[in-house]
């Protein structure tokens, strides 16, 4: 771990599994999670308190897969929150988000209950992503937005854009797309996203962040204050993150190299085919000219020669 310690920084990296749970998953620090969620909801709702719930859920049947959330909380009004930090690109991330919310919704009504009471609590999936969700085969945004890093998703009517169901939502942040500078941070959400992206490289609480909100996170995250056990857990978590990134980047480079090679191969193959086709065409054209000359010498009309050889009248006249 010696090499790792030299690059560990002053504050715990919130994008590690340990860091995410240190800042947002401990009862004594839950005010940080409350403040963060309120910044994402932007006044749409105000969360006054949270209760942490189990993050592991077995399937209702033996063949159903077990799910493990990063964080699972209940709001003071009964709202359910799943909060996830996703470090690397996952092909079916959207599917997983819908599956997670569906599993929790499914558990809200007791099995075998009778009647028409299908009143459900609000369920929200919060995803902080260290990749661009709209890349890798996903459809691009259909309209220009000044916040390409933030996706606020609900069920709505496609023809009217009116919300069809307001008790299920997905709030997703792609951190790589958040590139605001300190002087551009206008909202509390801006400040939170800047902090999540840059905290591990900071050496103190900067003046452009609200001390009343962010003072605690700098106290909690100071590496020098970690217990020996927490330090070991953090180093392991940081190493796991860096190893995963290294493997992913290597695979990405290999894939790009393979794609480049395949592209060259296809290009070469296409060039050869086009070259052969062009060569055949030129050969056939030359053959047609020779045949046309012979027919001219034998007194064939230009019209007949054109019909037989495929040459134009103008080309035939130049052969005289």
């Amino acid at each position: 771990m010696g090499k790792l310690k030299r690059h560990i920084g002053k504050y715990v990296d919130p994008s590690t599994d340990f860091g995410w749970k240190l800042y947002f998953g401990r009862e004594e620090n839950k005010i940080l999670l409350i403040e963060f969620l309120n910044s994402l909801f932007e006044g749409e709702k105000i969360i006054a308190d949270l209760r942490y719930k189990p993050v592991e859920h077995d399937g209702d049947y033996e063949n159903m897969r077990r799910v493990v959330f990063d964080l699972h909380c209940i709001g003071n009004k009964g709202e359910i929150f799943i909060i996830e930090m996703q470090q690397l690109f996952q092909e079916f991330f959207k599917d997983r988000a819908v599956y997670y919310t569906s599993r929790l919704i499914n558990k809200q009504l007791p099995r075998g209950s009778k009647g028409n009471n299908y009143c459900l609590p609000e369920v929200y999936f919060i995803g902080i992503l260290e990749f661009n969700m709209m890349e890798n085969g996903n459809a691009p945004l259909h309209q220009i937005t000044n916040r390409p890093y933030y996706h606020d998703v609900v069920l709505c009517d496609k023809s009217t854009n009116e919300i069809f169901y307001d008790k299920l939502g997905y709030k997703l942040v792609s951190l790589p797309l958040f590139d605001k500078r300190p002087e551009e941070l206008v909202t509390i959400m801006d400040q939170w996203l800047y902090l999540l992206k840059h905290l591990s490289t900071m050496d103190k609480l900067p003046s452009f962040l609200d001390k009343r909100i962010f003072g605690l996170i700098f106290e909690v995250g100071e590496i020098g204050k970690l217990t020996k056990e927490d330090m070991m857990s953090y180093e392991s978590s940081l190493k796991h993150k860096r190893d995963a990134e290294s493997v992913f980047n290597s695979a990405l480079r290999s894939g790009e190299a393979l794609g480049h090679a395949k592209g060259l191969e296809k290009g070469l193959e296409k060039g050869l085919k086009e070259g052969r086709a062009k060569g055949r065409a030129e050969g056939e054209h030359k053959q047609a000219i020779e045949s046309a000359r012979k027919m001219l010498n034998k007194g064939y009309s230009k019209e007949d020669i054109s019909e037989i050889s495929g040459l134009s009248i103008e080309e035939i006249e130049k052969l005289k």
Side-chain angles (χ1 to χ4, degrees):
M1 292 284 184
K3 186 178 180 181
L4 180 63
K5 285 183 177 179
R6 291 197 294 272
H7 303 282
I8 209 166
K10 184 176 180 180
Y11 297 101
V12 172
D13 185 347
S15 67
T16 61
D17 184 65
F18 174 86
W20 189 249
K21 291 180 172 63
L22 171 70
Y23 294 122
F24 299 119
R26 296 187 179 185
E27 182 70 28
E28 64 269 24
N29 302 331
K30 71 177 179 180
I31 185 60
L32 294 175
L33 182 57
I34 292 171
E35 294 282 3
F36 176 56
L37 291 179
N38 280 331
S39 78
L40 293 183
F41 278 93
E42 301 180 295
E44 174 190 337
K45 66 168 31 283
I46 303 297
I47 303 160
D49 196 12
L50 290 172
R51 287 182 291 115
Y52 289 100
K53 301 291 286 181
V55 296
E56 298 186 18
H57 291 263
D58 292 325
D60 294 331
Y61 304 98
E62 189 175 341
N63 61 346
M64 286 184 69
R65 68 182 301 168
R66 176 169 161 266
V67 298
V68 181
F69 310 130
D70 283 350
L71 294 175
H72 173 204
C73 303
I74 304 293
N76 55 294
K77 296 181 181 178
E79 316 99 309
I80 299 173
F81 300 98
I82 303 168
I83 305 103
E84 292 274 306
M85 162 60 78
Q86 185 69 34
Q87 294 173 354
L88 301 177
F89 171 75
Q90 188 178 79
E91 184 177 5
F92 298 106
F93 175 77
K94 294 179 186 177
D95 301 68
R96 183 160 71 89
V98 172
Y99 179 71
Y100 277 13
T101 52
S102 301
R103 282 289 297 274
L104 287 185
I105 291 172
N106 182 56
K107 289 181 176 293
Q108 300 312 304
L109 293 178
R111 195 178 302 172
S113 59
K114 297 179 180 180
N116 253 344
N117 184 16
Y118 282 92
C119 183
L120 298 170
E122 299 173 37
V123 177
Y124 299 97
F125 183 98
I126 313 297
I128 309 304
L129 319 177
E130 290 206 293
F131 57 87
N132 180 0
M133 189 178 66
M134 306 315 290
E135 287 182 347
N136 299 285
N138 289 296
L141 293 173
H142 293 295
Q143 58 185 9
I144 296 174
T145 171
N146 61 355
R147 298 196 298 184
Y149 52 85
Y150 182 53
H151 305 275
D152 192 1
V153 181
V154 295
L155 291 175
C156 70
D157 187 315
K158 290 171 66 175
S159 59
T160 65
N161 290 326
E162 292 182 358
I163 295 176
F164 169 73
Y165 184 72
D166 62 358
K167 293 162 72 175
L168 174 64
Y170 301 84
K171 297 183 183 295
L172 308 168
V173 176
S174 291
L175 283 180
L177 297 182
F178 182 83
D179 58 1
K180 290 189 176 183
R181 299 184 296 272
E183 63 271 19
E184 297 174 310
L185 306 180
V186 177
T187 66
I188 297 299
M189 186 204 295
D190 288 345
Q191 294 187 44
W192 267 110
L193 300 187
Y194 186 92
L195 183 70
L196 290 177
K197 190 167 183 177
H198 299 286
L199 176 58
S200 64
T201 62
M202 293 178 174
D203 57 8
K204 64 178 181 179
L205 171 61
S207 59
F208 55 81
L209 295 182
D210 192 322
K211 186 176 182 179
R212 294 166 299 176
I213 297 175
F214 300 104
L216 177 60
I217 202 168
F218 280 84
E219 291 179 21
V220 169
E222 194 170 338
I223 287 175
K225 295 180 180 179
L226 295 179
T227 65
K228 183 179 179 180
E229 291 75 17
D230 278 348
M231 188 63 192
M232 290 176 63
S233 296
Y234 177 51
E235 288 181 343
S236 176
S237 183
L238 192 59
K239 184 177 186 302
H240 180 270
K241 178 193 174 185
R242 291 175 179 174
D243 287 348
E245 287 175 344
S246 178
V247 170
F248 179 80
N249 290 332
S250 295
L252 193 63
R253 286 192 295 271
S254 297
E256 289 174 348
L258 180 61
H260 182 62
K262 286 185 175 179
L264 288 175
E265 184 181 349
K266 285 184 178 179
L268 181 59
E269 183 181 348
K270 181 181 178 183
L272 288 172
K273 285 182 179 178
E274 290 177 350
R276 285 195 292 267
K278 184 178 180 182
R280 283 197 300 270
E282 288 177 352
E284 290 171 358
H285 186 70
K286 192 176 289 187
Q287 179 86 30
I289 290 175
E290 291 300 320
S291 299
R293 279 202 178 100
K294 290 179 181 178
M295 285 187 280
L296 275 173
N297 292 335
K298 291 185 178 182
Y300 282 75
S301 70
K302 290 180 287 187
E303 290 75 13
D304 288 341
I305 295 173
S306 176
E307 184 178 347
I308 295 170
S309 67
L311 298 176
S312 66
I313 299 294
E314 290 78 10
E315 288 178 295
I316 295 169
E317 288 177 344
K318 291 178 182 178
L319 297 178
K320 291 182 178 181

